[in-house]
Amino acid sequence: PSPHLRRRLHVSRRAASAAPLGADRPPVTLPRVWHAEVPAGDLGERIIVVGDVHGCLDELRDLLERCGYRPGRDTVVLAGDLVNKGPKSALVVRFAREEGLLAVRGNHDEAALYAKHRVSYYADTPPPDSYAY
């Protein structure tokens, strides 16, 4: 097969730039980003692309059902923003992993990862007054 059809995994390390809340906070190193090229023969009969799920698992499942999604025969690509806004962000990620769906990391996914890694560093620091209810 030609080089662009062979499976290739490339691992890179991304570091966030300056912290948005102030220069006193160090940059956070985010998890590894996996890039994969999937051979055309491994994509199944159909490719279903869904964008901006935003934590809405029930709606995602309903959409896939309406598309006639067939696990093992179709490939689903989630085109960014799996999390935030909706009530089931973690369950969307779990569903995608369990079903073997492909995904592209969107800006909301990036923000959630960034926040998760910052929380442990600042767990003992009270939130700013501007976050008071």
Side-chain angles (χ1 to χ4, degrees):
S2 66
H4 67 280
L5 292 179
R6 281 184 273 134
R7 181 176 298 266
R8 183 180 75 196
L9 292 177
H10 170 71
V11 182
S12 63
R13 186 62 118 171
R14 277 183 78 180
S17 57
L21 296 178
D24 61 323
R25 298 179 182 210
V28 175
T29 301
L30 296 175
R32 292 178 183 229
V33 179
W34 289 89
H35 300 274
E37 291 181 9
V38 180
D42 290 353
L43 290 175
E45 296 175 23
R46 295 186 307 160
I47 300 171
I48 301 169
V49 180
V50 180
D52 299 298
V53 176
H54 287 291
C56 297
L57 179 62
D58 299 332
E59 292 82 354
L60 173 61
R61 287 185 176 184
D62 183 50
L63 181 63
L64 292 176
E65 183 179 322
R66 288 175 185 234
C67 289
Y69 168 59
R70 300 160 301 172
R73 294 179 68 184
D74 296 328
T75 297
V76 175
V77 179
L78 301 176
D81 294 342
L82 282 69
V83 301
N84 288 349
K85 296 185 182 181
K88 299 179 180 176
S89 290
L91 294 176
V92 167
V93 173
R94 178 181 292 163
F95 175 75
R97 294 179 81 169
E98 289 173 352
E99 289 291 316
L101 308 183
L102 301 176
V104 175
R105 185 171 16 183
N107 63 317
H108 286 267
D109 309 319
E110 189 84 8
L113 285 170
Y114 187 79
K116 179 210 179 278
H117 288 279
R118 290 188 64 90
V119 165
S120 62
Y121 186 85
Y122 294 104
D124 297 328
T125 304
D129 292 336
S130 61
Y131 292 153
Y133 290 77

